[in-house]
Amino acid sequence: MPPHLREWWVAGLFFAGISAAEFCLAFLALSVASLWLWLLAVGISIATMTVWAFSRFWGMPVGPRAWQPEAVGWPDYISTVLEAITAGGFVALTYPAPGPDRRHSLALAVAGMVIVTVLTGIALWSLHRRSATPLGPTVLRAAPPDPTRRPP
């Protein structure tokens, strides 16, 4: 979100809003067993993936870089894959097992979301570590000779 915010405040606001909405929707969808809520979560995930794909193929039609396709980076790629996993999990919730196995399917969905959250954290942590260190080989150069120093 910060790079988008630096590029154009509207894009940053969009990502902040979609992040907050999905965060709240996840807690609400897990606490309230509601078909329409789960379908809403699927719809938001699909819409987010569609915006991502559109911006990578054709570029967004508005903003400072209108109609200029964006490069695919690891953070946005991972986020989109996680959106697909989330959508799949919520689709699975819309077809729960009947009777007592319904609780089992909800437990599996919660476990899947916990796993996705952990994997997201690991991926973001590794990306942060990688960005903190320079990529590529480190070149060590000898210091230039000091003209005032005489060899031993």
Side-chain angles (χ1 to χ4, degrees):
M1 180 174 44
H4 291 288
L5 190 57
R6 283 190 295 273
E7 183 179 335
W8 189 38
W9 70 271
V10 174
L13 188 63
F14 168 78
F15 282 102
I18 199 72
S19 297
E22 287 185 336
F23 183 77
C24 293
L25 185 61
F27 281 107
L28 189 59
L30 290 175
S31 62
V32 178
S34 170
L35 178 64
W36 73 267
L37 200 57
W38 295 336
L39 290 174
L40 177 64
V42 171
I44 289 175
S45 289
I46 289 172
T48 304
M49 289 185 292
T50 302
V51 168
W52 179 82
F54 192 93
S55 70
R56 290 340 183 244
F57 284 107
W58 298 287
M60 295 307 292
V62 295
R65 296 184 323 142
W67 298 111
Q68 293 178 9
E70 294 181 44
V72 176
W74 279 112
D76 58 271
Y77 174 75
I78 290 169
S79 296
T80 304
V81 169
L82 293 174
E83 286 285 355
I85 292 169
T86 300
F90 279 113
V91 165
L93 281 175
T94 63
Y95 297 102
D101 290 335
R102 178 178 168 83
R103 184 174 292 173
H104 179 70
S105 70
L106 186 58
L108 285 176
V110 170
M113 288 180 194
V114 168
I115 290 168
V116 165
T117 302
V118 169
L119 291 176
T120 301
I122 291 169
L124 292 175
W125 177 75
S126 68
L127 286 170
H128 173 70
R129 282 193 56 174
R130 175 173 275 166
S131 68
T133 59
L135 298 176
T138 303
V139 178
L140 297 176
R141 298 180 193 269
D146 184 2
T148 61
R149 184 168 182 227
R150 294 174 53 184

